[in-house]
Amino acid sequence: MPADANPSGDIFGGWVLSQMDIAGGIHAGQRAQRRVATVAIEAMHFIRPVHIGDVLCVYAEAERVGRTSMAIRLEAWALRKRLGDRVKVTEGIFTFVALDVEGRPTPIAEAS
Ligand SMILES: CC(C)(COP(=O)(O)OP(=O)(O)OC[C@H]1O[C@@H](n2cnc3c(N)ncnc32)[C@H](O)[C@@H]1OP(=O)(O)O)[C@@H](O)C(=O)NCCC(=O)NCCS
């Protein structure tokens, strides 16, 4: 949307990053079966711009599951003008930590 863009019509990197953080948090929360927090973002790489009118698609995959943390590989793809070519615009690895009710790291349940 225009409110997410700079005067040149390109979407702010921070907006894209926040969508990826939301997607990664959903994925990590489902995996951990509890609340999670983002503890680190690394290897973030902006490859192509996102334009007003593009649809942003975010894909998540667990790269590493530790005792209380998970490294989630996230890729964002833009569907140009909603219907056109699909191009990879950004990728990065986000680390989430599973938290107990008091916000302390807590072990991640075994996958069923
Ligand atoms: C998440 C938080 C509770 C972790 O606390 P902590 O004292 O670092 O906890 P620990 O040292 O026990 O580490 C917990 C896990 O996180 C991992 N971790 C901690 N810092 C990390 C970093 N910078 N990069 C990658 N992993 C990290 C540890 O390796 C550990 O993983 P493991 O149990 O799978 O081996 C604390 O850092 C926090 O509250 N951060 C703020 C989170 C937040 O608000 N995020 C939103 C952004 S505003």
Side-chain angles (χ1 to χ4, degrees):
M1 297 296 282
D4 304 313
N6 65 27
S8 306
D10 294 327
I11 301 298
F12 293 119
W15 183 87
V16 175
L17 190 148
S18 76
Q19 303 309 304
M20 296 170 77
D21 195 22
I22 291 167
I26 292 169
H27 187 87
Q30 288 173 337
R31 175 66 181 80
Q33 292 289 295
R34 57 182 68 241
R35 73 187 259 217
V36 297
T38 313
V39 73
I41 298 174
E42 60 177 303
M44 194 78 190
H45 181 198
F46 291 96
I47 305 161
R48 297 273 182 275
V50 180
H51 307 299
I52 293 169
D54 291 350
V55 169
L56 193 73
C57 312
V58 181
Y59 302 96
E61 182 177 72
E63 183 157 289
R64 179 193 59 79
V65 178
R67 195 180 80 84
T68 67
S69 70
M70 290 155 280
I72 309 293
R73 172 175 292 280
L74 288 153
E75 290 188 5
W77 291 67
L79 197 54
R80 297 297 189 206
K81 299 187 189 303
R82 301 186 189 184
L83 302 168
D85 293 341
R86 207 177 66 111
V87 295
K88 183 155 82 169
V89 292
T90 309
E91 61 187 357
I93 296 173
F94 290 49
T95 302
F96 297 87
V97 177
L99 302 176
D100 66 15
V101 289
E102 283 166 1
R104 292 177 305 220
T106 190
I108 296 164
E110 294 290 321
S112 54

